[in-house]
Amino acid sequence: MGSYRIAVLPGDGIGPEIIGQALKALKSVEKKFGHQFKYTEGLIGGSGYDAKGHPLPQETLELCHASDAILFGAVGGPKWDSLPVHLRPEAGALLPLRKELGLYANIRPVQVFPALINASTLKPEVIEGLDIMVIRELTGGLYFGEKGRETLQEGGIRVYDTMEYKTYEIERIARLAFQMAQKRRKKLTSVDKANVLETSRHWREVVNAMAPEFPDVELDHMYIDNCSMQLVRYPRHFDVIVTENTFGDIISDQASQLSGSLGMLASASIGGKIGLYEPIHGSAPDIAGMNKANPIATILSAAMLLKYSFNLDAECEAIEKAVTGVLDMGFRTPDLMEDGKKLVNTDEMGDMVAEQILKG
Ligand code: NAD
């Protein structure tokens, strides 16, 4: 039994709807396991900008610092697309929040639920039994290096983004990846472009230098282009993948599609004192407010929060088991709907998972 503070940041679009369902699941966990979670809501993204003039209001930042973990919905939408970059929901809220909290690692589990094996565009025999953990470096590389544009005398402009890494930035994410592999099938694939990029060559040197500390982990290296191909050819090859920011951004989305629906995939950003947990999808403005969104990615993000921030493994498993149970019973939100299944809306899916946690 424990007492924990959770900052709840629903954000924009479908954010509030899906967060509502994750809260139902957490409340079932409280009841079943005798915990007490204290939830405090904060504004973020477009709704933060509308109310406070900034997508990451100071109050929200303070709330995050005063919490044990953050449950995040999604931010953004057409309404805020024409704002200056630093005020746009994603660039102005999510990136600085990650930086401020020192969240240098994004982890995304990609699993195939047997009940959803036909939801993927890949053949069932390719994805059956798939279980990958993609670990992406989150606060370095191209997205944070020096960038700019300058006018050239001969006409046109010169534009540049700089990919850079310091040794310690590679070491800390590699350590996390090795440790994650130790708890799983003990296989780590480090992904880079060492045939071309200096940053990748150093990445590989650092990872190799650490390998003797983890003799039980089988390490291999793969170029990003090959990794991208292998992910759709033979994804069961992979256990834990670790890679730098830009490569990770792309292959984590690619890997996510192996399992079929954006609405199913959770993620955690960790590394600092306070972890941030969110579905991998965005704010889906096209279906916002329609009670149609799949809340499972957010519910599973809440499960990851319990495991990675509070070390509540059994509670995490209780949520995962409940989700599997509801899918096995044939209930589907519209994004997963197929013949012979039972259509439910966002709220109903949330209620069912919450109920199943209590029964399980
Ligand atoms: P998106 O992920 O919001 O939506 C892509 C498609 O998937 C849409 O058709 C949407 O309806 C569907 N979809 C997404 N989540 C779903 C769910 N839970 N259930 C059912 N269907 C779902 O991506 P987008 O359309 O490229 O972006 C929309 C907005 O979200 C943009 O403003 C973008 O900047 C923002 N965004 C935010 C985050 C974040 O908050 N972390 C991430 C990605 C995009």
Side-chain angles (χ1 to χ4, degrees), residues 14 74-77 90 94 262-263 278 281-287 293-294 335:
I14 59 170
V75 292
E90 270 190 281
L94 208 43
L262 266 180
E278 59 178 323
H281 57 73
S283 58
D286 52 333
I287 55 167
N294 182 350
D335 56 314

Side-chain angles (χ1 to χ4, degrees), residues 55 128 172 341:
E128 197 173 14
R172 63 186 183 183
K341 302 298 175 196

Side-chain angles (χ1 to χ4, degrees), residues 9 18-19 70-75 90 94 98 103 106-108 138 265-269 275-282 297-302 304-305:
L9 311 181
I18 52 178
I19 283 285
I70 303 164
L71 184 64
F72 186 100
V75 292
E90 270 190 281
L94 208 43
R98 285 173 182 161
L103 304 174
N106 181 255
I107 60 178
R108 281 191 191 181
L138 209 52
L265 291 149
S267 82
S269 299
L276 183 148
Y277 301 83
E278 59 178 323
I280 72 155
H281 57 73
T298 317
I299 293 172
L300 293 174
S301 302
M304 287 183 87
L305 181 155

